[in-house]
Amino acid sequence: MHTAAAVADFRTYPLISALSGVQNLADRVSIVWADGRISPFHHVWLRDNCPCEQCVYTVTREQVFEIVDAAPDLVPANAHIDSDGCLQIDWQDGHRSRFDPGWLRAHAYDDESRAERLAAKPKAYLWRSDLQLPVFEYSALMNDNGALLQWLIAVRDIGLTQVRGVPTEPGSLKLIAQRISFIRESNFGVLFNVQSKANADSNAYTAFNLPLHTDLPTRELQPGLQFLHCLVNDAEGGESIFVDGFAIADALRQEAPELFQALCEIPVEFRNKDRHSDYRCLAPIIALDALGRVAEVRMANFLRGAFDTSVEQMPLLYRAYRRLIAMTREPRFRLMQRLNPGELWCFDNRRTLHARNAFDPATGARHFQGCYIDRDELLSRILVLQR
Ligand SMILES: [Zn+2]
């Protein structure tokens, strides 16, 4: 009962409420739970989700059965609660299915259960200039999975964190990034060196001020997490600035809904080219997820192509774009801090825009290393640590 072995999954499902009654109707089974909730399950849904060893390969716990291989009018010959408290269904074609009540409750699709699941989903905590920056210690993150989980949840929900006590030898960033997962390589390398270079292939590798942006908006999938690790910071200037792109999008949605909508709908091209590569991506600046929530901001003015939209829409796009950039400059949203050697930023690159003040290379050396990890890796690591 409520063990991973009983279900087609590696997770376990606690018994929230026992099954107390089963009614077999024309096209569904109606379950009454001990706490009074009623959950209908269509016959086709139950047959599709049969967790038996014929339907699910026990090693991978992935389905081998396909619903089209059952008759479309298949109905149970019998449905009842067995002596273990599971829902047992004997189908008219002779197949038998048993459902763990913990699993069944976790997947029930009555309105109340679905609303509960939606409410339990992680939510972005929107922040402004007064954010209490979440700070973590390198040694704890390297040795303690509990501390690691707390950090990853902060990265997921707040989108900006700092880690202190990181060794300052070049390459140390790799060790902590790999505590999460494998690193996403790009044309700038597995680890990229942020230094002022004579023959720069990006404005990042100059001493210029860099306006608020996301990295690699030129890719179909922008990197999810970005790390910036400070090895040396003796130059004057070069402070890091962050804004919560989700908080700005949220404020824009309330203050100027027509401009918010324009940024969700009108695509903009971002380009990054050098002698050996030419990356381009055409996408709206704000992307919503399947539930209508802001899921991504894509922005780097220095990588943006000329706007290409209809004559009617061009003034609207400029109004929306100007408003967005103006908002990133508003003090209410901006958090500024200088990074010291042995400290690193880890932030959600598809949410948190980052900037750097200009620095003066004549006043001292400045060397940061950075890398990327995709958001999927973060979310998967959190779920595995929570098992
Ligand atoms: Zn089966």
Side-chain angles (χ1 to χ4, degrees):
M1 181 78 67
H2 57 87
T3 62
V7 294
D9 204 334
F10 290 97
R11 275 178 279 182
T12 56
Y13 295 92
L15 182 67
I16 290 167
S17 181
L19 301 172
S20 82
V22 181
Q23 198 185 0
N24 191 17
L25 305 170
D27 67 339
R28 70 195 70 175
V29 167
S30 179
I31 294 289
V32 182
W33 301 92
D35 62 3
R37 185 172 298 179
I38 295 174
S39 303
F41 295 97
H42 288 89
H43 295 149
V44 63
W45 187 96
L46 288 166
R47 182 63 194 88
D48 187 28
N49 289 290
C50 176
C52 86
E53 293 184 9
Q54 279 170 266
C55 294
V56 175
Y57 181 43
T58 52
V59 175
T60 59
R61 305 198 188 174
E62 290 178 355
Q63 197 176 36
V64 288
F65 169 74
E66 289 186 284
I67 191 60
V68 293
D69 293 323
D73 54 356
L74 183 65
V75 294
N78 178 274
H80 69 279
I81 303 165
D82 71 11
S83 56
D84 293 328
C86 292
L87 171 65
Q88 182 176 313
I89 295 184
D90 291 300
W91 299 97
Q92 275 185 340
D93 63 5
H95 198 79
R96 172 174 287 182
S97 304
R98 279 178 83 240
F99 297 93
D100 173 274
W103 183 89
L104 212 48
R105 179 69 171 230
H107 294 82
Y109 54 92
D110 58 275
D111 292 346
E112 202 178 347
S113 299
R114 294 188 73 222
E116 239 172 46
R117 272 204 297 282
L118 186 61
K121 279 187 192 296
K123 271 177 213 60
Y125 167 84
L126 303 184
W127 51 268
R128 295 189 173 193
S129 58
D130 58 353
L131 172 70
Q132 288 292 314
L133 185 67
V135 177
F136 298 84
E137 281 301 321
Y138 174 83
S139 58
L141 301 181
M142 293 305 288
N143 298 308
D144 175 1
N145 279 347
L148 179 66
L149 179 61
Q150 291 313 305
W151 178 42
L152 301 188
I153 288 173
V155 174
R156 179 191 68 189
D157 296 344
I158 300 168
L160 175 63
T161 64
Q162 189 177 86
V163 179
R164 293 183 185 159
V166 187
T168 52
E169 290 78 45
S172 330
L173 172 58
K174 227 176 183 173
L175 297 175
I176 186 159
Q178 286 169 342
R179 281 285 280 155
I180 306 178
S181 187
F182 46 85
I183 294 170
R184 173 167 157 182
E185 193 171 1
S186 77
N187 57 315
F188 298 110
V190 175
L191 294 189
F192 48 89
N193 287 291
V194 186
Q195 282 167 304
S196 175
K197 300 171 192 172
N199 197 13
D201 57 354
S202 161
N203 281 2
Y205 305 142
T206 66
F208 301 164
N209 148 64
L210 276 186
L212 283 155
H213 66 283
T214 56
D215 271 21
L216 309 197
T218 54
R219 311 305 157 86
E220 186 177 13
L221 178 65
Q222 299 188 99
L225 305 189
Q226 177 168 174
F227 298 76
L228 281 174
H229 174 210
C230 177
L231 305 174
V232 181
N233 197 1
D234 295 330
E236 279 174 22
E239 296 83 6
S240 306
I241 300 163
F242 295 96
V243 298
D244 181 356
F246 287 6
I248 288 180
D250 185 65
L252 184 65
R253 196 177 211 168
Q254 289 170 36
E255 293 165 15
E258 74 290 358
L259 302 185
F260 173 81
Q261 200 184 339
L263 294 179
C264 291
E265 290 174 358
I266 306 175
V268 168
E269 190 172 65
F270 293 96
R271 300 172 177 178
N272 175 233
K273 66 274 171 195
D274 68 10
R275 288 184 299 283
H276 307 291
S277 62
D278 194 336
Y279 297 98
R280 294 165 189 232
C281 180
L282 179 69
I285 288 172
I286 298 173
L288 304 181
D289 68 13
L291 299 172
R293 302 173 302 187
V294 175
E296 174 171 57
V297 177
R298 185 182 287 271
M299 166 60 73
N301 189 67
F302 50 95
L303 299 175
R304 185 173 57 79
F307 285 158
D308 180 6
T309 189
S310 69
V311 173
E312 291 71 30
Q313 278 191 321
M314 191 61 80
L316 172 65
L317 178 56
Y318 267 105
R319 274 209 316 283
Y321 188 74
R322 290 179 74 110
R323 178 68 170 263
L324 181 75
I325 301 283
M327 287 175 87
T328 67
R329 295 180 181 187
E330 287 180 37
R332 61 175 167 151
F333 293 114
R334 289 163 75 97
L335 184 144
M336 182 164 91
Q337 203 174 105
R338 183 182 167 85
L339 202 63
N340 299 303
E343 296 175 345
L344 69 79
W345 297 115
C346 174
F347 55 95
D348 184 337
N349 180 62
R350 297 170 62 195
R351 164 180 178 179
T352 302
L353 279 63
H354 62 292
R356 174 190 74 208
N357 281 339
F359 63 93
D360 182 358
T363 56
R366 188 182 191 274
H367 185 193
F368 283 36
Q369 286 192 312
C371 70
Y372 305 117
I373 288 183
D374 279 326
R375 212 189 253 171
D376 289 327
E377 306 306 333
L378 170 77
L379 300 180
S380 166
R381 188 78 166 114
I382 288 173
L383 291 178
V384 171
L385 287 168
Q386 283 176 335
R387 267 183 198 160

